[in-house]
């Protein structure tokens, strides 16, 4: 039953080319004094706090580096994401609320050669894939939470219906 409800909630979103997540090349001026190459990700139906919490947890599990978090930003210096590269890099994220979701700017800085461009042939595709994969996981986590809330509400309604039926039988 639970899997069926999850399928009903998520299937319509998947049928439309994953419109719930978009990732584009961008620039962002909030990380340094000048605009730097960045990825802009937009994910609908996911709040900023959930998205930030998930990224912080993910980065903490993947790196020993210290994460600095503010209300809108996450910064991690000298992180090593072994599945992408063995050299350390700095990761900058800026989160913004949208009307129906969250927008995030991601910038990755090689500690030797500078900011990694999204069109970089060696790392650009892998970093975009990382952002997309994490965004999908966050989206699914949120939808599972929504499903649990719906199931709880449904159980409450079923209990109320049983109470009404019991009262009618008396």
């Amino acid at each position: 039953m639970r899997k069926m409800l999850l399928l009903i909630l998520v299937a319509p979103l998947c049928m439309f080319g994953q419109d719930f997540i978009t990732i584009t090349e961008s620039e962002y001026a909030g990380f340094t004094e000048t605009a730097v190459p960045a990825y802009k990700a937009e994910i609908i139906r996911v709040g900023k706090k959930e998205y930030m919490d998930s990224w912080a947890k993910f980065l903490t599990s993947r790196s020993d580096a210290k994460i600095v978090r503010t209300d809108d930003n996450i910064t991690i210096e000298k992180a090593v994401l072994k599945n992408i590269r063995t050299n350390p890099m700095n990761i900058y994220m800026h989160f913004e609320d949208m009307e129906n979701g969250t927008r995030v700017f991601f910038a990755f800085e090689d500690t030797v050669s500078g900011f990694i461009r999204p069109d970089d042939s060696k790392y650009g595709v892998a970093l975009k894939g990382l952002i997309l994969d994490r965004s999908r996981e966050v989206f699914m986590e949120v939808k599972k939470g929504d499903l649990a809330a719906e199931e709880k509400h449904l159980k409450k309604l079923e209990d109320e219906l049983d109470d009404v039926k019991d009262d009618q039988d008396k």
Side-chain angles (χ1 to χ4, degrees):
M1 174 86 171
R2 180 181 170 131
K3 287 182 183 180
M4 179 70 119
L5 286 171
L6 182 60
L7 181 63
I8 291 169
L9 287 172
V10 176
L13 299 170
C14 295
M15 290 188 297
F16 297 105
Q18 296 182 1
D19 290 339
F20 54 93
I21 301 169
T22 58
I23 300 173
T24 56
E25 293 181 18
S26 184
E27 289 192 343
Y28 185 72
F31 302 129
T32 64
E33 294 176 7
T34 60
V36 299
Y39 296 88
K40 179 175 73 173
E42 294 180 348
I43 182 169
I44 63 167
R45 298 184 179 120
V46 174
K48 183 173 84 171
K49 182 181 181 329
E50 290 101 351
Y51 205 34
M52 285 185 80
D53 290 347
S54 179
W55 271 102
K57 182 178 176 184
F58 172 77
L59 292 171
T60 300
S61 72
R62 296 286 194 268
S63 177
D64 295 334
K66 182 182 175 201
I67 294 177
V68 177
R69 181 174 173 168
T70 65
D71 289 342
D72 298 323
N73 297 305
I74 292 177
T75 303
I76 182 169
E77 295 183 349
K78 298 181 180 168
V80 176
L81 299 175
K82 294 176 186 164
N83 58 335
I84 294 177
R85 55 180 289 153
T86 57
N87 296 335
M89 66 178 141
N90 301 329
I91 303 170
Y92 306 93
M93 298 178 205
H94 174 75
F95 296 79
E96 299 174 352
D97 282 318
M98 296 186 330
E99 185 175 323
N100 190 19
T102 303
R103 176 181 301 117
V104 186
F105 291 92
F106 295 86
F108 299 90
E109 181 182 26
D110 182 307
T111 56
V112 176
S113 61
F115 284 92
I116 299 169
R117 301 190 61 78
D119 61 359
D120 180 276
S121 61
K122 192 169 185 180
Y123 301 114
V125 172
L127 292 170
K128 182 177 180 178
L130 171 71
I131 295 167
L132 184 59
D133 290 345
R134 281 300 313 145
S135 297
R136 285 182 188 141
E137 288 180 32
V138 173
F139 181 82
M140 291 304 292
E141 288 171 13
V142 169
K143 291 298 122 197
K144 286 177 183 175
D146 291 350
L147 176 60
E150 290 293 326
E151 286 179 331
K152 184 177 178 181
H153 182 67
L154 178 60
K155 175 75 172 125
K156 181 181 174 186
L157 292 174
E158 287 172 341
D159 290 345
E160 288 175 7
L161 178 61
D162 289 343
D163 291 344
V164 169
K165 285 180 179 177
D166 289 345
D167 288 345
Q168 287 178 346
D169 290 342
K170 290 182 181 179

